Amino acid sequence: MAGFRIAQIKVGESCSIARKRAHAYKLPSAYKQEIMTNITAILKKEFRSYFNSPIAYIFITFFLGISSWFFFRSFFLVNQAEMRGFFGLMPWIFLFFIPAVTMKLWAEEKKLGTVEILMTLPIRDYEVVVGKYLASFALLAVTVLLSLVIPLSVSYLGDPDGGTLIGGYIGLLLMGGAYLAIGLFASTLTENQIIAFIFGITTCFVLLIIGEDIVLFNTPNWLFPIFSYLGLGAHYSSILRGVLDSRDIIYYLSVIGFFLYLSALSVESRKWR
Amino acid sequence: MIEVRELTKSYGPTIAVNQVTFDAHAGEVLGFLGPNGAGKTTTMRILTCYLSADRGSATVAGYDVFEESVEVRKHIGYLPESAPLYTDMGVIEYLNFMTQVRHLPKSQRKERTRAVIDICGLEDVIQKDIGELSKGYRQRVGLAQSLIHDPPILILDEPTSGLDPSQIIEIRNLIKDIGKEKLVLFSTHILPEVSATCSRILIINDGKIVANGTPDELSSQAKGEDTVHIAIRAPQDAIEAKLDTLAFVSQWNHVKTDDGVVGYKITAEQGSDAAEALFHVVVENGWSLTELRQESVDLEDVFLNLTVREQE
Ligand SMILES: Nc1ncnc2c1ncn2[C@@H]1O[C@H](COP(=O)(O)OP(=O)(O)OP(=O)(O)O)[C@@H](O)[C@H]1O
Ligand SMILES: [Mg+2]
């Protein structure tokens, strides 16, 4: 059984620091309430609108279809129930699906002109960005949750490796989350959904392969550590091995934070053009 | 409630808004009039914090548009040009979303939604998706959205475009009604609309404010002279002798003589109440009056005078 360990984050300690900080700056609770209301309203609206159009259904169906096909194929061919192939394939499947999920988030608003009402509501730009991001993340989470059917059948058919499984699912959500942030940013740049889609795929692709051996082999030495750190894929495969390292988690959270920040900047830049 | 000082905004080489300065107060309906590309939409976008200006300042409801934009946005309702709405949402769903982001207390949400449905005449379409609605109904949903939190300031970009005549009249009445206590700033190309609705008119051309005043002020400013049409039953010589002695008459033209009734077109100094004075003259002389009509200067003339770009 592969090891499954969380690198030492002193959870209790960091929480209490955070609490002290919050106390020191002490946001008025009405203000916090307002931020929550805004983000939730946007989140709900966007999440519902996924189900008002075919995109959510297509995403869920395709994802479940492809993942179960790969799983059962390996099961019947090799007579071995394992998820490694499934998880290994996911970065490439997400590459096409996730930019399709995020492409409309801003591009459509710009095209329809609804962004003008949205951004003149008493909501801060970053609240809209976060709300939209969380909506797309919720769709991803629902889909990934539904695909739990597969590992459940694994545990029925054979002896699943709990560590790989939990690690794999966390890795899936983290990597998908990073793709979503990139796709969201791509969507802020244009009012054309197709362009947003292509730009999203390209950026995710570059970030995915940048840490691969073939690429690293050809990079100059001084770039080597940067590339190998920035590559989305390397962090994912280390999570897949069942090692949930805090550095990988921090890496993914930084990528998400960075692209959400860029999105907020990009949205705000409308004012100056 | 709105104070705008020397607001300037360019898109690359195009100066869309150029040194615009004006004030507006509660209880006013301010009409924003100007030809295509004059800068009306751009000005409104700056006031609603959608865009920033290059120079100048603006405060809305006492808050700075650039520094305290969230506060500003809480105090305004905004209907952008051509009412952009989410076509995949239902009418009720959309209004519901608006009550949430406008932070209406839960207890008031239903009530306010009901109220704007009544005000904007949406009863017949509440079951539909916005995508299924006609242009006019979309416009009404857009208006409903801007009214839902009962804002003290309402900014409407061409609110009556795409509406049928009876709805236009309803919206104008609504605007007047709201303008009794609040501030309404709306833009339009339609001249009769401003004279019918506004307490004050701002005419903007090429990004600059070229006129600012009540409809009456603007009409009289334009000519500086009033024209009176008069017809009197009296001897022509006597009338003309009398006209020559009247100080306020700057010019008179004999128009027609018809069956003993003599008609004149008289040009008088502006603001001299020429019609009334002439009436007294007629009475004093024991003549009889068959026609008396003071011509009001058409706003259309004012508008054209101020906005037609100088050729050559
Ligand atoms: N996004 C933009 N990029 C570049 N130029 C713009 C942009 N928006 C407006 N302009 C220019 O700014 C000027 C003012 O435009 P604006 O939309 O404010 O006019 P308007 O008075 O609302 O006209 P209309 O009556 O046609 O709605 C025009 O010359 C227009 O071409
Ligand atoms: Mg306009």
Side-chain angles (χ1 to χ4, degrees), chain A residues 34 38 41 45 48-49 52 109 112-123 270-273, chain B residues 9 45 48-52 73-74 78 80 84-86 88-89 93 97-98 100-103 145:
Chain A
E34 192 181 299
N38 291 341
K45 171 199 154 273
R48 264 208 221 168
S49 106
N52 280 344
E109 299 255 13
L112 288 175
T114 47
V115 65
E116 198 172 339
I117 292 184
L118 186 66
M119 303 321 279
T120 53
L121 292 171
I123 313 183
R270 71 171 186 279
K271 289 190 167 184
W272 310 106
R273 270 181 294 197
Chain B
K9 162 102 191 165
R45 283 179 169 170
T48 52
C49 312
Y50 182 68
L51 295 175
S52 291
R73 288 182 266 168
K74 280 181 189 165
Y78 177 40
L85 304 168
Y86 299 108
D88 61 351
M89 282 178 120
E93 189 189 355
F97 168 64
M98 285 298 163
Q100 291 168 28
V101 284
R102 288 294 186 179
H103 302 131
Q145 161 277 130

Side-chain angles (χ1 to χ4, degrees), chain A residues 118-235:
Chain A
L118 186 66
M119 303 321 279
T120 53
L121 292 171
I123 313 183
R124 289 155 199 88
D125 291 3
Y126 76 84
E127 291 168 346
V128 185
V129 168
V130 171
K132 281 176 181 276
Y133 176 75
L134 289 181
S136 65
F137 193 82
L139 178 64
L140 175 73
V142 167
T143 314
V144 167
L145 217 67
L146 286 175
S147 78
L148 269 174
V149 179
I150 303 170
L152 286 182
S153 52
V154 175
S155 66
Y156 175 73
L157 294 167
D159 180 27
D161 179 342
T164 327
L165 208 63
I166 298 174
Y169 269 87
I170 292 177
L172 221 54
L173 286 176
L174 286 173
M175 193 194 51
Y179 277 10
L180 286 171
I182 294 169
L184 184 78
F185 170 62
S187 185
T188 63
L189 296 176
T190 167
E191 57 169 56
N192 184 325
Q193 294 195 35
I194 306 295
I195 294 178
F197 177 68
I198 293 171
F199 189 71
I201 287 193
T202 317
T203 313
C204 290
F205 179 71
V206 169
L207 224 60
L208 178 62
I209 60 157
I210 208 173
E212 298 256 310
D213 293 341
I214 318 165
V215 178
L216 288 179
F217 199 67
N218 293 304
T219 45
N221 272 346
W222 60 276
L223 266 179
F224 190 93
I226 301 175
F227 272 27
S228 79
Y229 180 72
L230 286 183
L232 268 171
H235 293 272

Side-chain angles (χ1 to χ4, degrees), chain B residues 37 39-42 81 157-158 187 189:
Chain B
K40 303 180 293 293
T41 301
T42 308
E81 203 169 354
D157 203 348
E158 298 181 26
S187 76
H189 300 126

